[in-house]
């Protein structure tokens, strides 16, 4: 999650109260305070609240929460007369454009950094790494309206930000740091999205890089905003959040006509919600008036709509509110989570263990009682450990993950015994004898089921010891079994047995082959058993 | 004072008559070895009833080789005596000791060698070494030379004197039980009644036993079982399910948008195999696209069936919860699960690609956010976390959401899990209109707090000594 910097002085100025009051209550609207610096505090907010990714947005929320200024904030938008056209060829490439003119901004280095920080946080949370939405801000006085959003050939060139010479779009994608990072979003298309002005100056090559020409500086007075993307709702969310944040900072917002339609309106949305439903969901006593007052603290307007309903007015920057319950959560936050009377409900239920865990508990008691120490190894392992080191053929149903993070974790275990051998390897330097076991999930094909494995390593570990252990385990599990000579290559010929229950092989035991012992970098005799616990379900 | 052993008592009785003696004398009396007497005397000395004086003396003795020469003379003397005047070296070498002797004779100046002839230089007076060889006990200047030649060795001889103290005298005067000590109790002694008169050897309780290690359940499993026990006591039914889940159950059914970062291959382990969609999937599609039958706007866009079919290693157990609810739609339902979940993370001290998650759900008429907090408080209190506070949280599938924090001395408020009420977008597609409270908890986080672990890997790649030493009972819950 992005870290939001909140400079104390600016935060106090915008909120209208002192920093201590703000910081004390900040966690209760969902901020995770990361650290305190001399001049600022750094916080994190959840990704569903990108409207809090700026000092202006936090101050707006805190004014409400602290009762300094409540209700749905109103933003006025005047027409700018600026127009924007969208090239129909962008359909299928990057069809949506949101724009606005932001006048009379007062910028200093700190404010520019804040704005860039907001932009980056929005790229992450709303823009999904710029694929869904990419944002550009431009010094409007360097270019001439009207503007056009076009699908351009890849050999078109302009001077990208932070460079001094003209580069073609192809060159930018190959050489510019941002090009290298984001080319994958548009690289599959013949034509590239481009924003140009009336004189054919390039403002931006979204979603990759702005032009050097329109760089925002401390002298910038008027800003042209462009948000392009593949999702109209997300594009407008970004426009609304940036415009309202800059409006909070004192700028004037003006609309742009995009293909003839003016935007943004910055108008709130409305929704009719039931007071009773809110009461039931939260479990607190509320009437319409109290609920409206609580919502006002969250900067949501609320008017009685007769018979237990409220018409709520949701600011345009609150993209997270998509359902009535999202409104009710704001009621709960304003009410204060610490003011809830936490209580258990009266209804009666009976608890019960899952049979798999009843079985696992019994297996643990039996095998621990036989002197073995339990281990809980990973379930994600490698084919080398599972099959190669064990001299076994790979199991047909073994599942490989598609993008393993390392060679050590490529495959879901089909057996537990190899993991115990690996555990012995980890404990190579520890005192002998070592007797360890593990029980748990294994996967073959689509089936998750359970196995138990046990190993014993010491100078006298042998067939007789593990046969006696297997015999005790099976006896305690109430299983009648027979043993046949096994052909399992992990074990020594003539010192291995298959456990047969009802004519079916359900397990194996014996002395581990010296080659396998060496594969796990061990040097003492090892006796081992493994049992498929599905035998208990039939 | 600690009770005396039988042997110590016998020693004291002898000492009482002789007052002071060497071990050899007492050994004769007690019919045992000198070493044993010294050992008993040590124990008596520790108790202040006897004294043991140790004297170390160094003397010289002949080695086996030295003994051979002590009568016949050193090799050089023997060879020197074997010829007169001069002799060809080749003849001299026929003497069995010539190899040792020639060098020494030259070194001592007894002979000179010229053109293969060995000539005596004059008299060969007896040296210090030869005198020392005759009488090593007399010491003298030749001793060190003979030690270097391996003919004489230094021998330490330790001698003891044992004496009784006034306390010892008093002890004996007060009377001692001198019945013979018995080591092992036998069946015959038990049955015959002989045990009543036996003087069973006393053990020193101060001496620690040899360590034995029981077979045992893993400490982490104990913690998991403790949590299971708490939830069972609170009336929850246990769920269990496959670690392979379709994206449909793992994400889509939980209203996680299809472009959510958690659904990218950087964060989740995908499998090549695909799953079939369950009956009723269309309602999930609708809720994603436009909110379906709910007041939700949905995520918009087109919901992609293929994306939902992709199998993953479950990233949480919440997918099991919603499946459990679809099979048990009648309230009340209280269910929980503790199971492995998978995230595509590299292994380091605080991250493992698999770990345990606890998940609890309550579906019941009339339950609310307030009751969710009630369940959380109760659960954490039973886990030993008395002080719980709630902060706003965010999870894609719950609304309202809450992050419980518990107070841990030394750490402050520690975020421990997440909770909320299942969004209507999650429950409505399955016709569930009763509210569902849900919470989850990283069990390994609790393990780190409770077991004082700094490295998560200890849970899964355990040092066997750590498990052996970790007590099976740690006081349990408060």
């Amino acid at each position: 999650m992005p870290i939001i910097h909140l400079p104390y002085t600016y935060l106090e100025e915008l909120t209208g109260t002192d920093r201590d009051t703000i910081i004390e209550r900040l966690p209760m609207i969902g901020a995770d305070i990361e650290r305190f610096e001399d001049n600022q505090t750094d916080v994190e907010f959840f990704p569903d609240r990108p409207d809090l990714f700026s000092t202006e947005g936090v101050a707006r929320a805190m004014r409400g929460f602290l009762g300094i200024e409540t209700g749905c904030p109103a933003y006025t938008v005047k027409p700018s007369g600026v127009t924007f056209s969208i090239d129909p060829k962008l359909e299928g490439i990057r069809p949506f454009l949101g724009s606005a003119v932001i006048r009379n901004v007062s910028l200093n280095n700190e404010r520019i950094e804040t704005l860039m920080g907001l932009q980056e946080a929005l790229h992450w949370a709303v823009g999904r790494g710029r694929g869904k939405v990419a944002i550009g801000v431009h010094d409007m006085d360097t270019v001439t309206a009207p503007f056009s959003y076009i699908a351009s050939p890849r050999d078109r060139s302009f001077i990208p930000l932070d460079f001094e010479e003209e580069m073609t779009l192809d060159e930018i994608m190959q050489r510019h740091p941002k090009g290298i990072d984001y080319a994958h979003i548009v690289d599959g298309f013949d034509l590239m999205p481009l924003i140009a002005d009336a004189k054919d100056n390039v403002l931006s090559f979204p979603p990759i890089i702005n032009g050097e020409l329109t760089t925002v500086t401390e002298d910038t007075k008027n800003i042209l905003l462009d948000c392009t993307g593949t999702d109209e709702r997300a594009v407008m969310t970004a426009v609304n959040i940036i415009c309202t944040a800059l409006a909070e900072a004192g700028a004037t917002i003006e609309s742009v006509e995009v293909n003839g339609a003016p935007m943004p309106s910055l108008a709130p949305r409305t929704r009719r919600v039931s007071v009773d439903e809110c009461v039931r969901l939260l479990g607190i006593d509320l009437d319409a008036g109290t609920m409206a007052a609580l919502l006002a603290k969250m900067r949501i307007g609320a008017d009685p709509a007769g018979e237990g309903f409220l018409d709520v007015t949701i600011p345009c920057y609150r993209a997270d509110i998509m359902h009535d319950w999202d409104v009710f959560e704001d009621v709960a936050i304003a009410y204060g989570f610490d003011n809830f009377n936490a209580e258990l409900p009266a209804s009666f239920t009976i608890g019960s263990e899952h049979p798999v865990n009843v079985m696992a508990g019994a297996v643990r008691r039996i095998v621990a009682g036989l002197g073995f120490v339990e281990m809980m190894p990973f379930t994600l392992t490698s084919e080398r450990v599972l099959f190669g080191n064990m001299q076994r053929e790979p199991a047909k149903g073994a599942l490989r993950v598609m993008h393993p993070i390392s060679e050590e974790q490529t495959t879901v275990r089909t057996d537990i015994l190899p993991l115990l051998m690996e555990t012995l390897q980890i404990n190579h330097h520890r005192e002998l004898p070592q007797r360890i076991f593990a029980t748990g999930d294994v996967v073959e094909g689509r089936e998750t089921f359970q196995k138990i494995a046990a190993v014993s390593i010491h100078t006298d570990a042998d067939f007789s010891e593990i046969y006696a252990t297997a015999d005790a385990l099976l006896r305690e599990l109430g299983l009648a079994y027979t043993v046949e000579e096994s052909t399992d290559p992990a074990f020594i010929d003539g010192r291995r047995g298959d456990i047969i229950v009802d004519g079916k092989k359900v397990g194996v035991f014996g002395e581990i082959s010296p080659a396998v012992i060496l594969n796990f970098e061990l040097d003492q005799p090892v006796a081992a058993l493994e049992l498929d616990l599905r035998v208990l379900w039939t | 004072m600690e009770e005396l052993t039988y042997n110590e008592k016998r020693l004291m009785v002898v000492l009482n008559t002789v007052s002071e003696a060497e071990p050899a004398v007492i050994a004769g009396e007690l019919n045992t070895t000198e070493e044993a007497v010294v050992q008993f005397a040590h124990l008596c000395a520790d108790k202040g009833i006897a004294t043991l004086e140790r004297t170390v003396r160094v003397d010289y003795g002949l080695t086996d080789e030295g003994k051979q020469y002590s009568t016949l003379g050193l090799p050089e003397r023997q060879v020197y005596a074997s010829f007169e005047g001069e002799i060809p070296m080749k003849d001299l070498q026929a003497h069995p000791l010539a190899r040792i002797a020639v060098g020494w004779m030259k070194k001592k100046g007894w002979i000179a060698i010229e053109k293969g002839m060995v000539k005596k230089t004059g008299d060969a007076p007896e040296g210090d070494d030869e005198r020392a060889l005759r009488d090593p006990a007399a010491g003298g200047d030749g001793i060190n030379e003979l030690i270097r030649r391996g003919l004489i060795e230094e021998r330490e001889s330790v001698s003891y004197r044992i004496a009784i103290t006034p306390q010892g005298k008093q002890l004996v005067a007060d009377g001692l039980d001198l019945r013979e000590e018995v080591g092992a109790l036998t069946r015959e002694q038990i049955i015959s009644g002989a045990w009543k008169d036996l003087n069973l050897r006393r053990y020193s309780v101060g001496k620690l036993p040899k360590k034995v290690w029981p077979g045992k359940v893993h400490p982490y499993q104990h913690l998991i079982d403790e949590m299971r026990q708490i939830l069972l006591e609170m009336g929850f039914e246990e769920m269990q399910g496959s670690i392979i889940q379709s994206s449909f159950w793992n994400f889509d059914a939980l209203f996680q948008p299809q472009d959510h970062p958690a659904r990218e291959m950087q964060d989740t382990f995908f499998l090549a195999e695909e799953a079939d969609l369950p009956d009723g999937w269309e309602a999930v599609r609708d809720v994603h696209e436009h909110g379906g039958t709910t007041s939700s706007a949905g995520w918009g866009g087109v919901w992609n069936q293929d994306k939902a079919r992709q199998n993953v290693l479950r990233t949480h157990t919440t997918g099991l919860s919603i499946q459990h609810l679809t099979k048990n739609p009648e309230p009340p339902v209280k269910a929980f699960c503790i199971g492995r979940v998978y995230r595509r993370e590299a292994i380091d001290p605080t991250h493992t690609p698999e770990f345990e998650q606890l998940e609890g759900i309550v579906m019941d008429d009339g339950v609310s956010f307030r009751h969710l907090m009630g369940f959380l408080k109760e659960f954490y209190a039973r886990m030993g976390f008395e002080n719980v506070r709630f902060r706003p949280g965010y999870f894609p599938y719950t609304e309202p959401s809450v992050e419980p924090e518990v107070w841990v001395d030394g750490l402050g408020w520690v975020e421990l899990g997440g909770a909320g009420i299942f969004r209507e977008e999650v429950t409505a597609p399955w016709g569930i209109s009763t509210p569902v409270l849900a919470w989850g908890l990283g069990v390994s986080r609790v393990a780190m707090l409770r077991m004082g672990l700094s490295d998560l890997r200890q849970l899964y790649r355990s040092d066997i000594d750590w498990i052996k030493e970790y007590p099976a009972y740690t006081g349990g819950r408060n």
Side-chain angles (χ1 to χ4, degrees), chain B residues 189-253:
Chain B
Q189 288 161 347
I190 294 169
I191 292 172
S192 67
W195 62 270
K196 290 178 195 156
D197 300 318
L198 287 182
N199 183 18
L200 280 170
R201 187 187 311 126
R202 304 187 66 86
Y203 285 100
S204 166
V205 293
K207 185 167 176 267
L208 291 175
K210 183 178 179 302
K211 282 188 180 174
V212 292
W213 304 104
K216 67 207 289 192
V217 169
H218 198 287
Y220 186 38
Q221 185 64 41
H222 276 301
L223 177 69
I224 290 171
D225 283 340
E226 179 186 325
M227 292 182 174
R228 294 177 59 240
Q229 182 70 26
I230 290 170
L231 288 159
L232 291 166
E233 286 168 7
M234 286 170 71
F236 284 75
E237 175 192 355
E238 189 170 33
M239 300 180 283
Q240 170 85 17
S242 176
I243 58 183
I244 312 297
Q245 294 288 332
S246 64
S247 290
F248 181 84
W249 288 120
N250 196 74
F251 298 120
D252 294 286

Side-chain angles (χ1 to χ4, degrees), chain A residues 59-234:
Chain A
R60 176 174 58 203
M62 287 312 289
R63 285 203 303 277
F65 200 58
L66 297 170
I68 296 164
E69 177 194 75
T70 58
C72 182
Y75 299 101
T76 49
V77 181
K78 285 184 286 189
S80 65
V82 172
T83 63
F84 231 123
S85 62
I86 302 183
D87 187 340
K89 288 203 286 291
L90 285 163
E91 187 70 41
I93 300 174
R94 198 170 180 82
F96 300 107
L97 171 78
S99 183
V101 170
I102 301 149
R103 292 205 186 272
N104 305 321
V105 293
S106 63
L107 294 174
N108 55 28
N109 274 335
E110 188 180 84
R111 299 276 175 88
I112 292 175
E113 246 174 65
T114 304
L115 181 58
M116 297 303 143
L118 172 60
Q119 204 179 322
E120 281 316 303
L122 290 173
H123 277 152
W124 175 81
V126 182
R128 297 274 191 258
R130 300 197 189 185
K132 202 172 178 180
V133 182
I135 303 158
V137 290
H138 308 280
D139 186 333
M140 193 168 163
D141 300 321
T142 61
V143 283
T144 314
F147 303 102
S148 48
Y149 178 35
I150 56 173
S152 160
R154 300 167 72 124
D155 57 4
R156 168 99 189 234
S157 58
F158 72 103
I159 305 176
L161 195 61
D162 299 330
F163 273 64
E164 282 169 4
E165 79 275 21
E166 287 208 341
M167 293 165 82
T168 67
L169 306 187
D170 268 328
E171 284 167 345
I172 289 172
M173 288 195 285
Q174 284 154 19
R175 280 171 39 208
H176 197 283
K178 299 288 177 194
I180 294 163
D181 286 351
Y182 299 106
H184 64 95
I185 299 169
V186 287
D187 210 12
F189 303 105
D190 293 334
L191 298 174
M192 298 286 109
L194 207 72
I195 293 172
D197 79 347
K199 296 178 178 167
D200 227 15
N201 291 312
V202 173
L203 282 73
S204 173
F205 170 20
I208 295 173
I209 190 72
N210 282 351
E212 180 70 16
L213 176 68
T214 57
T215 307
V216 170
T217 68
E218 287 186 284
D219 301 326
T220 300
K221 293 281 165 270
N222 302 299
I223 286 176
L224 178 73
L225 172 70
D226 82 75
C227 294
T228 61
T230 55
D231 181 306
E232 189 172 15
R233 203 192 319 178

Side-chain angles (χ1 to χ4, degrees), chain A residues 373-375, chain B residues 216 218 462-470:
Chain A
V373 171
E374 187 181 23
M375 293 286 167
Chain B
K216 67 207 289 192
H218 198 287
S462 301
D463 181 339
I464 192 168
D465 282 4
W466 174 71
I467 301 181
K468 279 156 85 177
E469 299 279 356
Y470 201 94

